[in-house]
Amino acid sequence: MKYRHLAIIVTVSVAAVGLAACGSDDAASTSSSPTPEQTSNEVVSIPDGAAFNAADVEFAQGMIPHHEQAIEMAEIALDPTVEAGPAVRDLATRIKGAQDPEIESMTAWLTAWGQPMQMNSSEGHDMSAMDGMMSVEEMDSLGMMNGADFDTMWMQMMVRHHEGAIAMAQTVKVAGSSAEVLSLADQVIAGQQAELTEMQTLLGS
């Protein structure tokens, strides 16, 4: 059974190509402008008077892969071969249904803001080190479980994942400025806290 692991797509903008006429004093050159899909190592400035700030950008850049992993976990739970229980399948369906549209919103915001989809890796950002993110080994182990053992491991992992997402949302509520981002942060906190409580009850913790 193979599952896709989180892949962060980095697209590279086309560099400007200078054109010069041989043996002539006249030269023509072209220059490129930043595109919405800039490289992850590019330093991007926030325009003066923008309706968003660096905290908003980092929240979206971090929450997209965070949500993508939660959706991957949900898809594993929905695979009939793992024999997940009805409560876990129901949770997985709701998690996927809630977080897919949120990814679409955050992707659209970064594009509209002219910001890269990935954090600047040259500044030491590590997606795997984000709050609540599972390691490759943990994801592999989850895929090998089934039945009641799968349900327990899946919920324990998803509780940690939700706690991380809630912490990220609480952070941007303090430092962010975009009304859209702050509204999504409230939505993440409310929705994931309810699911977290539900899973803790099912786990008996």
Side-chain angles (χ1 to χ4, degrees), residues 104-119:
E104 291 176 5
S105 294
M106 290 183 286
T107 300
W109 297 339
L110 289 171
T111 299
W113 296 341
Q115 302 298 305
M117 294 294 146
Q118 183 184 357
M119 289 181 182

Side-chain angles (χ1 to χ4, degrees), residues 15-19 28-32:
V17 179
L19 301 176
S29 65
T30 60
S31 61
S32 63

Side-chain angles (χ1 to χ4, degrees), residues 19-20 51 90 93 107 125 162 164 175 182 195 199:
L19 301 176
D90 178 57
T93 301
T107 300
H125 293 296
H162 275 28
L182 297 178
E195 291 166 351
M199 288 184 286

Side-chain angles (χ1 to χ4, degrees), residues 71-104:
I71 290 170
E72 181 180 357
M73 291 170 66
E75 289 173 344
I76 294 173
L78 294 171
D79 185 331
T81 64
V82 303
E83 301 176 342
V88 166
R89 292 198 304 272
D90 178 57
L91 273 162
T93 301
R94 283 184 277 139
I95 288 168
K96 189 174 187 300
Q99 296 193 23
D100 261 332
E102 291 175 352
I103 289 174
E104 291 176 5

Side-chain angles (χ1 to χ4, degrees), residues 123-161:
E123 295 179 356
H125 293 296
D126 182 359
M127 294 295 132
S128 64
M130 286 192 298
D131 287 343
M133 287 290 281
M134 302 298 117
S135 67
V136 171
E137 292 75 19
E138 286 174 312
M139 294 295 287
D140 286 342
S141 295
L142 180 65
M144 291 187 290
M145 300 294 236
N146 58 51
D149 290 338
F150 173 86
D151 290 350
T152 298
M153 185 175 184
W154 187 88
M155 286 190 287
Q156 289 172 339
M157 289 171 62
M158 193 62 83
V159 163
R160 285 167 48 203
H161 210 272

Side-chain angles (χ1 to χ4, degrees), residues 24-42:
S24 171
D25 291 336
D26 295 328
S29 65
T30 60
S31 61
S32 63
S33 300
T35 67
E37 299 176 322
Q38 300 172 37
T39 68
S40 62
N41 289 325
E42 187 172 352

